[in-house]
Structure formats: structure tokens, C-alpha cells
Amino acid sequence: MMHFQTDEELAIFFDQCAKDGLMLTFDPEEQSKLDCLLPEWDIREGHRIFEAGCGAGRLTEQLAPKIGISGEIFACDLSPEMIALAKQRKLSERVSFVCRSALKNNCPANWFNRILCLNVFPHFLDKPKTLREFRRIISRDGVMWINHLCSRESINHFHSNASDEVANHILPDEEEMGVLLKEAGFGIMSLKDSDAGYSLKAIPV
Ligand SMILES: C[S@@+](CC[C@H](N)C(=O)[O-])C[C@H]1O[C@@H](n2cnc3c(N)ncnc32)[C@H](O)[C@@H]1O
């Protein structure tokens, strides 16, 4: 079984997903779950949002109207093909789509009011380092969200059966997440895990 070792190899895999037209839109069931999630994220005018692994920008498109003319969205992804599709959405000038690892974002410290990781956390190849980087860029009163539109069990089952390339891309259990987050300087505010989705809210401590 082949496992990805580098971001470059992962980018090639997701480039192919983009070429295959995957993850361009949310299906109606996903969208109704997202409709419940968006108010929980409490995104306000003027907020600075960091969207990790934005893919083809299907979420970014729904975030953009919420930040008004004074907010900003920094949406990054490893895959050039995903970013090219995202840019075709021609969102507001307050949105930047950047082809870059979330880990090597070059963003200022203490900057973002929200860090959003939708459908991406299992793919981070170095989770401790990525979380430490998120701790660096989140504002003191910021909130980080890690979400999937299905349960942890479902996403792990999906990855382990979907393709060799992502077979070991696992969303850790609550205990391991707690340790990872604590070591990076985050505390868990809430964690919901059901068929309605996986939703972890963390704040800097
Ligand atoms: C399953 S897709 C989800 C995309 C998007 N969040 C969505 O729900 O439509 C995961 C995305 O994360 C990206 N990704 C994985 N690891 C990343 C990293 N370290 N930094 C930035 N993007 C990453 C991949 O290239 C891929 O486009």
C-alpha cells in the first residue's frame, strides 16, 4: 500500500480530483448540514478568516458575503488545479486564493479571527506542526474549527477504503486530538461527533 510522504505528492493526488470535477459543489445533504454549521462559526463583518485546504473554493464562496468590505479571507490549498478552479469563481477582492501549504502560509502572527478546516484535517501530514502554526496565526480571541460533514467513523472509513493514497489519513480520536491541541496551545471548547457531522471548536489558551 502506498502512502503519501510529501505535500508535493498529495498535491498531485488532489490535482487529479480537481480534474475529475470532484468537490466542486456541496450536494443537497451536505449543503443542509453546512447551513446549520455556518451560523455556529459566527463569522462577522470585518473578520479575518484563514481557510486551510480550501480546494475548489465551494466553501469560500459561501463565506465571502459574510466578511463585508473590511474583512478578508486567506484561502490556501496545496493543489494548483484546485486553486485554479477556485479563482474562476471570481469572488471579492477581499478573498485571496493561494497555492500554498497551510503550514507555510507566511501570514502574520495573531492575525485571524477564525481558522476553518473543513474536510482537511486528516490530510495534514504533520499535524503537530500544523497546529502549532495555526496557534501562531490565530488572534488571541480567535476560534479554530475542524469540521467534517459526516462522523469521524465515516470519514475514517471513507479514507481507508477510498484510495491507497489517503488510506492512512485518519481523523484522530478525542483523546489524541486533545493531546495534539493542548501541545499546540489550544483548548477544546466543544466536540460533536454524530451522523450530522464532526465539529471541533478550539480556542488558543
Ligand atoms: C478533501 S479536500 C477538501 C477541500 C475543501 N475544504 C472542500 O471541502 O471543498 C482537501 C483539500 O485539502 C488540501 N490540502 C491537504 N493538505 C493541505 C495542506 N497541508 N495545506 C493546504 N491544503 C492542503 C488538498 O489539496 C485538498 O484540496
Side-chain angles (χ1 to χ4, degrees):
M1 183 174 287
M2 172 185 165
H3 291 317
F4 284 117
Q5 299 297 319
T6 67
D7 280 348
E8 289 72 23
E9 288 164 323
L10 195 54
I12 291 168
F13 174 76
F14 281 109
D15 272 350
Q16 190 56 51
C17 293
K19 287 177 192 157
D20 292 343
L22 301 177
M23 295 176 284
L24 286 179
T25 57
F26 294 102
D27 69 30
E29 192 187 337
E30 290 171 327
Q31 185 61 53
S32 74
K33 289 177 177 177
L34 195 59
D35 289 343
C36 297
L37 207 49
L38 283 166
E40 285 191 43
W41 291 346
D42 189 24
I43 292 166
R44 305 184 210 149
E45 269 195 45
H47 267 177
R48 296 189 286 257
I49 313 284
F50 182 92
E51 188 191 348
C54 61
R58 60 182 177 168
L59 172 64
T60 330
E61 187 165 52
Q62 300 187 41
L63 300 174
K66 298 184 182 298
I67 55 157
I69 52 168
S70 57
E72 64 178 65
I73 301 177
F74 182 94
C76 64
D77 201 283
L78 288 175
S79 155
E81 296 286 340
M82 285 288 186
I83 289 293
L85 289 173
K87 285 183 173 170
Q88 283 175 19
R89 293 183 194 266
K90 304 216 177 306
L91 304 183
S92 113
E93 60 186 20
R94 308 301 302 175
V95 176
S96 309
F97 284 115
V98 181
C99 188
R100 199 177 293 167
S101 164
L103 187 52
K104 299 174 185 157
N105 56 70
N106 287 338
C107 293
N110 306 319
W111 189 247
F112 292 100
N113 305 101
R114 297 285 180 273
I115 294 181
L116 305 178
C117 305
L118 178 68
N119 300 329
V120 67
F121 191 85
H123 302 303
F124 293 144
L125 299 180
D126 189 336
K127 294 176 178 58
K129 206 168 168 188
T130 304
L131 286 172
R132 285 199 296 278
E133 176 58 11
F134 291 170
R135 178 65 183 81
R136 184 187 71 80
I137 61 173
I138 199 165
S139 67
R140 290 177 219 296
D141 60 352
V143 179
M144 178 172 73
W145 290 92
I146 296 171
N147 291 91
H148 289 271
L149 301 174
C150 60
S151 67
R152 172 176 167 270
E153 190 185 347
S154 301
I155 193 64
N156 286 345
H157 184 262
F158 176 72
H159 284 157
S160 50
N161 290 284
S163 156
D164 284 355
E165 289 90 338
V166 294
N168 67 340
H169 290 198
I170 292 304
L171 185 59
D173 65 20
E174 184 170 355
E175 193 184 341
E176 195 181 335
M177 278 305 255
V179 172
L180 279 169
L181 287 160
K182 190 174 175 201
E183 285 179 355
F186 285 99
I188 297 181
M189 292 294 288
S190 65
L191 199 172
K192 293 184 226 166
D193 183 15
S194 72
D195 288 345
Y198 177 94
S199 184
L200 189 155
K201 177 182 184 182
I203 57 164
V205 289

